[in-house]
Amino acid sequence: AEGVTDRWEIASVLALLSVGRRSEAMGDLPALRFSLPSERWMVLQRVLRRLATERPLILVLDDLHWGAETLDFVAHLLDEPPPAVGPLLLVGSLDTELTEAAPWLSAAVSALSRAGTVTLVDIPDLDPSSCRQLAELQLGLCPELAEQVAERAAGSPAFTLALVTEWSRRGLLQPSSTGLVLKHSSSLTLGGMD
């Protein structure tokens, strides 16, 4: 909140960042609680506007399929008259397979796509060779394990990353002369990814 001197604005940003959507009183700053999503959106919009005065922004929202409120915030930004924030490129990702199973998600994406400033881009799964390269060259797996992960991931870079991240979190990977390998007799079914 550099350059912000209004104690209520500082308190509202703290409330936005607080777990449970309620801030604790800090010094002479009051404790605030948001009762409506639109109240959070207005605070976030002010923060983005303040940041956009310094330079254009790129806001990346990953896994939009898990957050109806985030999609509502995007719709709120698009509904505001320009410049709601300032120079802003908003990039969002979502699993299109989930839009077929979740009517609310399909409706939200359709509504956003009707906005003149939204471009939907369908990114296909990786081919097996590219998925293997991701696992080996970017994530550091040995060639054999990278091949197995690529086969198991069926072209999904998100699954590849999630699987390797989970293995790493659980301490199941160890370095070898050819790259990371699974410790002991760990298998590809580990990590809760089945």
Side-chain angles (χ1 to χ4, degrees), residues 5-102:
T5 56
D6 182 282
R7 54 187 284 226
W8 289 102
E9 183 153 350
I10 294 170
S12 65
V13 171
L14 290 174
L16 182 69
L17 298 173
S18 296
V19 176
R21 309 277 199 263
R22 181 183 183 93
S23 68
E24 299 295 325
M26 295 180 65
D28 67 338
L29 297 176
L32 292 180
R33 179 185 177 128
F34 296 117
S35 56
L36 299 171
S38 59
E39 294 171 343
R40 287 190 292 280
W41 302 340
M42 295 305 291
V43 172
L44 184 54
Q45 188 173 335
R46 281 197 313 265
V47 169
L48 293 173
R49 186 180 300 120
R50 185 178 303 280
L51 292 172
T53 61
E54 298 173 16
R55 68 181 70 81
L57 299 178
I58 299 174
L59 180 61
V60 178
L61 301 171
D62 195 18
D63 292 337
L64 287 171
H65 49 270
W66 298 124
E69 190 176 308
T70 304
L71 282 168
D72 291 341
F73 171 67
V74 171
H76 166 80
L77 282 179
L78 294 174
D79 286 343
E80 290 292 304
V85 171
L88 172 68
L89 172 63
L90 181 64
V91 178
S93 72
L94 59 90
D95 186 336
T96 53
E97 290 178 10
L98 294 177
T99 60
E100 297 163 8

Side-chain angles (χ1 to χ4, degrees), residues 5 9 30-31 34 36 49 81 93 96 103 105 113 121 125-126 135-136 138 140 156 158 160 172 178:
T5 56
E9 183 153 350
F34 296 117
L36 299 171
R49 186 180 300 120
S93 72
T96 53
L105 181 58
S113 68
V121 179
D125 287 337
L126 297 176
E136 183 178 349
Q138 297 297 314
S156 170
T160 302
L172 299 176
T178 60

Side-chain angles (χ1 to χ4, degrees), residues 71-191:
L71 282 168
D72 291 341
F73 171 67
V74 171
H76 166 80
L77 282 179
L78 294 174
D79 286 343
E80 290 292 304
V85 171
L88 172 68
L89 172 63
L90 181 64
V91 178
S93 72
L94 59 90
D95 186 336
T96 53
E97 290 178 10
L98 294 177
T99 60
E100 297 163 8
W104 69 267
L105 181 58
S106 181
V109 171
S110 293
L112 288 176
S113 68
R114 286 191 294 272
T117 56
V118 173
T119 302
L120 298 178
V121 179
D122 186 30
I123 301 174
D125 287 337
L126 297 176
D127 61 77
S129 174
S130 297
C131 196
R132 183 190 49 74
Q133 288 179 354
L134 170 66
E136 183 178 349
L137 301 177
Q138 297 297 314
L139 302 177
L141 299 182
C142 73
E144 298 81 19
L145 186 56
E147 185 69 37
Q148 293 173 338
V149 167
E151 183 178 315
R152 176 70 178 86
S156 170
F159 181 88
T160 302
L161 181 59
L163 181 61
V164 175
T165 299
E166 181 64 13
W167 284 344
S168 178
R169 187 189 68 77
R170 290 185 175 199
L172 299 176
L173 295 171
Q174 66 185 18
S176 76
S177 60
T178 60
L180 296 172
V181 297
L182 286 170
K183 289 181 181 178
H184 313 298
S185 60
S186 301
S187 73
L188 289 177
T189 60
L190 291 174

